[in-house]
């Protein structure tokens, strides 16, 4: 069952030769659409997090190549390289660019391929939702991190898609939404989406997750992923690894939901994944409010790596994978890339 | 060795019949002093976190009773009850109020007792610093949480006092200062203090602590405490418990530094400690910036409880305590209250 089209929020949308990007930095208080007409427009939107979330980044990059192809097809490969460089941790941009360039090299239609990637992602979300919802008990208190919903996919989302599907199927679920410092995707985006969908939720500070678990108020944790290595190690938004350690300590299952496009069989383990660092002003002056003293030294890694041993299961559109991950992920994704 | 007086920041200072409170909500960008002339002034300052930190709260409350005694001694007991109600988790207010009221009941000088509490706290900080610094290896990367420095004591601080003493003794230390959502005492106050003292530091998001540990970049964690139960369970700023679990997972020692005035032998364990909840606007609209959608449900516990089993040692001014805590804390604090 696919989510009714009316409930979908489109983070990126191709219309009349323009890639329309919903500016997520302005949410939840303003819905502003950026009209991108060049690859540079899309690059800028990605860099400042107007569009974010691994699957949506892949879809945006594929359509950006549609913009390049319509203006000057000879720039396609270089445009792809620039797009890949915008966000080095999430693999989906590289995956989408490689796929589109391969089609273009074969004389195929760039835009049609971008649209295929988008449609497939929508279907993958629906399928992850169905498969993952089986892991969610009735009455579950679910802790999630960052934003993994419609805003970062072409469908109902990855981890949030699982939650939404369980809710829509009549299970009574309640979601602990953690803020997700430093960019607060949980407070700003996940809160907005879940309330819009009528899913019961409560916002908490990232620092409160452990005591919720200690009080027995978390039945499962589910997050998305930006890149999954061949051995099942998961790179995701900074803070994910802490939740996995805490879940393990408290005997709470820790699930990851991500389409197979997020699996990178070329990375043998998490230590091969490059963790992007973002501007320290996200810490020293969040949202323009100078909080720390001027020139405070800061370190702002955007992602962390959760070892496969802490991951109870990975929900993909092709099935739910459990340990041993290496063998099972390779079989699922298709051994050719390994 | 006591810290040179010139380096001390005074969070509260009695001068000419007025309790001067440095407004910590305005730091680090403005140094504003609130002149409190009544108990109600002090109560208001405590409630809005202008003064905070367990020992400083005790000192502020003791001096507030000095204000009450000088206007109408018959109001002393009632004033004490109102002060205790401002912050129910930190035990130091109750401890200081009980001590001052006992002296007043015996016909003693309220203000002299308040000053004695202040001087003893300054000495306790110096002593904790000396004892605790022995736990800090040369070259240590130290992770700390919240603010535990001069701003929350009459001396060099509790956990930060330990760090400062190690630094002053010539040990090369570097401090990871976590932001400490939701009120960001780490980003705003600890960053400011450590830079003022010339202690090398780097600000990180709370969500980054786990990956610092995974990378081997944390040699020890040290925090303060708001209340320590008879069995060694430690109530402290929300997020402390997560750090203790993470430290245990990574084999990193987890220390607590707190004066014996923070030990409450009447509480048998952490489950007897009442955890204060603060206004959810700290999460939905931090520092006046509306981030979450309007009316987002939120849960904002201000503290959590770390079980004694995760605490490597507690540094007090009377000695360093390790497991078994119940017996050793009772001996240290004086069995009379048990």
């Amino acid at each position: 069952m696919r989510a009714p089209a009316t409930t979908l929020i489109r983070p990126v949308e191709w219309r009349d030769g323009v890639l329309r990007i919903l500016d997520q930095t302005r949410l939840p208080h303003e819905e502003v659409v950026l009209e991108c007409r060049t690859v540079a427009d899309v690059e800028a939107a990605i860099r400042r997090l107007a569009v974010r979330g691994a699957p949506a980044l892949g879809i945006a990059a594929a359509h950006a190549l549609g913009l390049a192809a319509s203006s000057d097809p000879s720039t396609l490969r270089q445009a792809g390289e620039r797009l890949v460089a915008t966000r080095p941790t999430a693999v989906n941009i590289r995956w989408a660019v490689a796929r589109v360039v391969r089609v273009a090299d074969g004389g195929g239609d760039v835009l049609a391929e971008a649209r295929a990637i988008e449609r497939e992602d929508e279907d993958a979300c629906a399928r992850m939702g169905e498969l993952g919802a089986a892991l969610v008990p009735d009455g579950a208190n679910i802790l999630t991190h960052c934003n993994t919903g419609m805003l970062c996919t072409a469908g109902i989302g990855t981890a949030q898609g699982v939650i939404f599907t369980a809710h829509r199927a009549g299970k009574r679920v309640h979601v602990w939404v953690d803020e997700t410092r430093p960019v607060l995707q949980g407070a700003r985006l996940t809160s907005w989406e879940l309330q819009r969908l009528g899913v019961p939720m409560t916002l908490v500070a990232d620092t409160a997750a452990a005591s919720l678990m200690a009080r027995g108020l978390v039945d499962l944790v589910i997050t998305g992923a930006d890149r999954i290595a061949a051995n099942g190690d998961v790179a995701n938004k900074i803070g994910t690894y802490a939740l996995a350690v805490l879940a393990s300590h408290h005997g709470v299952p820790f699930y990851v939901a991500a389409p197979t496009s997020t699996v990178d069989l070329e990375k043998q383990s998490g230590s091969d994944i490059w963790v992007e660092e973002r501007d320290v002003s996200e810490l020293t002056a969040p949202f323009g409010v100078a909080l720390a003293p001027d020139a405070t030294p800061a370190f702002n890694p955007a992602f962390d790596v959760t070892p496969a041993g802490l991951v109870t299961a990975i929900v993909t559109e092709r099935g739910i994978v459990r340990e041993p991950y290496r063998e099972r992920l390779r079989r699922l994704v298709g051994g050719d890339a390994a």
Side-chain angles (χ1 to χ4, degrees), chain A:
Chain A
M1 185 174 64
R2 186 178 288 191
T6 51
T7 67
L8 286 182
I9 303 157
R10 295 278 182 195
V12 294
E13 196 172 13
W14 182 268
R15 198 191 291 173
D16 304 328
V18 173
L19 186 62
R20 295 163 55 84
I21 292 181
L22 177 61
D23 186 349
Q24 299 188 32
T25 68
R26 309 285 284 272
L27 289 175
H29 295 290
E30 292 175 294
E31 294 185 31
V32 176
V33 171
L34 307 171
E35 301 202 333
C36 297
R37 293 184 164 78
T38 65
V39 174
D41 290 347
V42 181
E43 265 187 88
I46 291 173
R47 281 191 193 276
R48 66 180 198 78
L49 309 183
V51 57
R52 38 141 303 277
L57 289 170
I59 295 161
H63 284 91
L65 294 183
L67 294 169
S70 66
S71 70
D72 179 358
S74 74
T75 63
L76 207 64
R77 195 169 294 269
Q78 194 203 12
E81 283 165 15
R82 277 160 47 202
L83 288 160
V84 168
T86 54
R87 301 293 308 271
T89 301
V91 73
N92 306 62
I93 296 179
R94 199 196 68 190
W95 170 86
V97 164
R99 187 168 148 176
V100 169
V101 167
R102 198 158 52 232
V103 165
D105 285 350
D109 182 338
V110 164
L111 203 56
E113 191 64 13
R115 286 181 172 170
I117 288 173
E118 187 173 28
R119 269 196 314 274
E120 288 168 26
D121 187 62
E122 185 177 347
D123 290 342
C125 289
R127 188 73 187 129
M128 281 186 279
E130 284 162 30
L131 291 169
L135 301 171
V136 178
D138 185 36
N141 277 294
I142 304 169
L143 177 68
T144 193
H145 189 58
C146 200
N147 174 267
T148 59
M150 296 176 182
L151 286 169
C152 70
T153 63
I156 56 170
T158 56
Q160 273 172 242
V162 168
I163 295 169
F164 176 54
T165 306
H167 165 79
R168 198 176 44 184
K171 287 183 181 173
R172 291 158 301 172
V173 298
H174 166 261
V175 186
W176 297 109
V177 174
D178 72 13
E179 292 195 299
T180 318
R181 282 289 290 152
V183 182
L184 297 166
Q185 291 92 340
R188 296 186 304 113
L189 308 178
T190 303
S191 292
W192 181 69
E193 278 197 48
L194 291 178
Q195 289 181 77
R196 194 173 173 279
L197 294 168
V199 180
M201 60 137 296
T202 306
L203 176 65
V204 291
D206 299 300
T207 49
S211 56
L212 294 177
M213 292 188 200
R215 295 181 193 201
L217 297 175
V218 179
D219 298 302
L220 63 99
V221 180
I222 186 163
T223 75
D226 287 87
R227 192 182 294 237
I228 299 172
N231 71 340
D233 289 354
V234 174
N236 192 46
K237 179 61 52 203
I238 191 79
T240 304
Y241 170 54
L243 295 179
V245 171
L246 293 167
S248 166
H249 181 81
H250 293 91
V252 170
F254 178 86
Y255 299 117
V256 170
T260 49
S261 57
T262 305
V263 179
D264 181 1
L265 294 178
E266 290 176 18
K267 297 283 180 277
Q268 290 307 307
S269 75
S271 57
D272 298 336
I273 299 175
W274 204 73
V275 171
E276 179 187 337
E277 291 171 27
R278 295 191 55 84
D279 197 283
V280 297
S281 66
E282 289 179 358
L283 297 173
T284 56
F287 302 95
V289 182
L291 289 174
D294 298 336
T296 293
F299 174 56
N300 188 21
F303 301 94
D304 59 26
V305 175
T306 299
L310 295 173
V311 180
T312 309
I314 299 174
V315 180
T316 78
E317 80 281 14
R318 297 190 197 159
I320 294 174
V321 190
R322 295 176 189 263
E323 286 193 292
Y325 286 105
R326 189 179 293 279
E327 178 192 333
R328 294 180 177 179
L329 282 174
R330 196 174 51 201
R331 210 181 309 147
L332 202 75
V333 176
D336 55 322

